[in-house]
Amino acid sequence: ELDPLPPLTPKFSVILDQVCVQCYQDFAPNTVEDQAREYIRQNLENFIRLEFPGTKLNLFGSSKNGFGFKQSDLDICMTMDGLETAEGLDCIRIIEDLAKVLKKQSGLRNVLPITTAKVPIVKFFHVRSGLEVDISLYNTLALHNTRLLSSYSAIDPRVKFLCYTMKVFTKMCDIGDASRGSLSSYAYTLMVLYFLQQRNPPVIPVLQEIYKEPKKPEILVDGWNVYFFDKIEELPDVWPDFGKNTESVGQLWLGLLRFYTEEFDFKEHVICIRRKNLLTTFKKQWTSKYIVIEDPFDLNHNLGAGLSRKMTNFIMKAFINGRRVFGTPVKIFPKEYPSKMEYF
Ligand code: GTP
Ligand code: MG
């Protein structure tokens, strides 16, 4: 059912490289924009502390994981001094009280507590920056997966280029918004990392499987082991495949689209970045969904669980289209993105 693809010409390969690098350059925030996020966090923390002393705000998500867009929302996790977990806290009550406090702050608009979601949050619009902000409580695992993604992004520049390209691609195809029934950017980032781990030779290692101790260290958070090897500068010593993959980023991008349309068996296997060996959907008892993505720490969490049959087909079609578009040599790609990119 897939059209055969012509061989990738050297000239077209260069064009694909440029497309991928451009996605990163056009959408990654600069230093000043990064500092602005930190500044907003600090200001909010100061303000909230006037009413709730001992409150701490941490940035997570794409503001910190190395894959942020200029217009990405600001994900903030709130904790209290001297309190390790949210156990025994009335999170819904705190979120409602927090919303009341934030409504008094003049620079914020549309303050809305959302207490029915799996993770209760306060959402609002920060007027001066034009950024959307989400504050959640004790979202501790998310702080760790943010660090994990950030470590992967630091291993090789191709990781960033590909994750940005994937994000631009999914937004343009309208398959990158979990609140509208598709997958989150976090899920697509996991798909890119999995592809790079399974590539032969691999571009990145499985950081959760590297350790110098005789046994894998155990650092438990909410009952899950959040250990991973984070000394990226030491990878050449501990990862035998370091530097072996020399493919260009454009080759890898087309390789990724081909991997998920021609090679990867969605029915049989789980997209799982915590181990190199293949994991079956059968073993996880996750056989009722076609796209199955395991969270690297919360092993009970399938990021594809919310997909409808229809949305799954829509996503697979977008990848099949992408494979054809990026796999068919043309002289030049349109320089401008379609106008809808302006809204991200
Ligand atoms: P942007 O689209 O640039 O905001 O990317 P993002 O990675 O910040 O995505 P989002 O704001 O949707 O999520 C924020 C963070 O929540 C992610 O980066 C993860 O660290 C964490 N997270 C953990 N589990 C999930 C999940 O099931 N869905 C989503 N969306 N995020 C999760
Ligand atoms: Mg975000």
Side-chain angles (χ1 to χ4, degrees):
E1 19 126 4
L2 286 172
D3 301 332
L5 290 181
L8 183 60
T9 63
K11 268 196 187 148
F12 192 60
S13 177
V14 170
I15 293 179
L16 288 186
D17 290 343
Q18 288 166 346
V19 169
C20 293
V21 174
Q22 191 85 33
C23 284
Y24 171 68
Q25 288 175 346
D26 285 355
F27 293 102
N30 57 33
T31 323
V32 174
E33 287 162 329
D34 270 335
Q35 284 166 350
R37 287 173 181 266
E38 180 50 38
Y39 185 79
I40 296 170
R41 184 207 66 77
Q42 186 67 62
N43 273 315
L44 285 170
E45 185 178 89
N46 295 345
F47 180 74
I48 293 172
R49 276 186 179 195
L50 297 176
E51 305 254 353
F52 303 116
T55 302
K56 201 165 164 14
L57 298 188
N58 293 288
L59 285 179
F60 71 101
S62 70
S63 306
K64 284 282 167 197
N65 67 17
F67 307 118
F69 275 37
K70 289 179 193 295
Q71 305 95 324
S72 283
D73 66 350
L74 205 67
D75 301 295
I76 294 179
C77 167
M78 179 170 138
T79 55
M80 287 100 171
D81 278 348
L83 206 57
E84 273 287 314
T85 68
E87 224 172 301
L89 283 184
D90 185 349
C91 291
I92 292 182
R93 172 74 185 281
I94 295 173
I95 287 291
E96 282 166 352
D97 289 348
L98 182 61
K100 276 183 206 143
V101 171
L102 292 168
K103 277 182 182 161
K104 293 189 244 167
Q105 172 69 291
S106 61
L108 313 178
R109 293 284 137 74
N110 311 334
V111 179
L112 187 67
I114 301 177
T115 51
T116 50
K118 200 179 69 178
V119 181
I121 56 168
V122 189
K123 238 182 167 11
F124 54 89
F125 180 71
H126 183 265
V127 177
R128 233 161 66 83
S129 65
L131 295 177
E132 196 65 44
V133 184
D134 285 356
I135 301 185
S136 49
L137 272 183
Y138 284 90
N139 204 346
T140 321
L141 279 178
L143 297 176
H144 290 276
N145 68 44
T146 296
R147 262 192 336 111
L148 178 69
L149 265 48
S150 162
S151 296
Y152 278 117
S153 81
I155 293 175
D156 187 301
R158 291 173 295 175
V159 178
K160 275 201 183 205
F161 295 144
L162 284 172
C163 288
Y164 275 86
T165 306
M166 182 70 140
K167 230 157 141 169
V168 172
F169 175 75
T170 57
K171 301 281 179 196
M172 287 181 65
C173 298
D174 254 321
I175 56 169
D177 188 346
S179 69
R180 284 172 41 225
S182 47
L183 290 170
S184 65
S185 14
Y186 176 60
Y188 287 112
T189 301
L190 297 179
M191 285 180 75
V192 176
L193 297 177
Y194 180 72
F195 161 75
L196 294 173
Q197 289 174 333
Q198 296 295 327
R199 193 73 168 166
N200 189 16
V203 179
I204 55 173
V206 175
L207 291 175
Q208 286 165 274
E209 286 184 327
I210 298 182
Y211 42 87
K212 291 175 167 173
E213 301 78 357
K215 255 188 91 220
K216 174 168 163 171
E218 198 167 59
I219 304 167
L220 290 182
V221 170
D222 294 346
W224 301 107
N225 189 1
V226 297
Y227 169 83
F228 66 92
F229 188 80
D230 62 358
K231 299 174 211 72
I232 299 309
E233 65 290 348
E234 294 176 22
L235 270 187
D237 310 325
V238 294
W239 180 41
D241 287 325
F242 184 88
K244 291 221 175 107
N245 185 300
T246 56
E247 290 174 277
S248 78
V249 64
Q251 274 174 300
L252 287 169
W253 172 240
L254 182 57
L256 181 146
L257 294 166
R258 299 192 70 155
F259 177 73
Y260 284 117
T261 50
E262 299 172 23
E263 275 176 60
F264 184 70
D265 188 348
F266 282 91
K267 261 203 112 38
E268 273 305 303
H269 295 124
V270 177
I271 296 166
C272 160
I273 68 158
R274 75 183 154 94
R275 56 180 243 178
K276 184 65 188 265
N277 284 342
L278 299 187
L279 178 63
T280 61
T281 50
F282 179 77
K283 181 157 182 207
K284 297 286 300 195
Q285 296 292 303
W286 281 343
T287 48
S288 67
K289 293 281 170 182
Y290 185 73
I291 300 180
V292 177
I293 306 172
E294 186 197 56
D295 186 88
F297 297 132
D298 179 354
L299 306 189
N300 287 338
H301 184 32
N302 167 16
L303 284 122
L307 292 174
S308 66
R309 185 76 233 189
K310 215 171 149 190
M311 185 54 81
T312 303
N313 289 338
F314 190 65
I315 292 173
M316 291 314 295
K317 275 190 195 151
F319 278 100
I320 290 170
N321 258 328
R323 170 190 171 277
R324 189 174 40 75
V325 168
F326 290 98
T328 312
V330 290
K331 282 220 174 58
I332 188 141
F333 267 112
K335 188 145 178 52
E336 295 301 317
Y337 300 90
S339 57
K340 61 194 237 199
M341 285 309 291
E342 285 161 25
Y343 296 105
F344 306 139

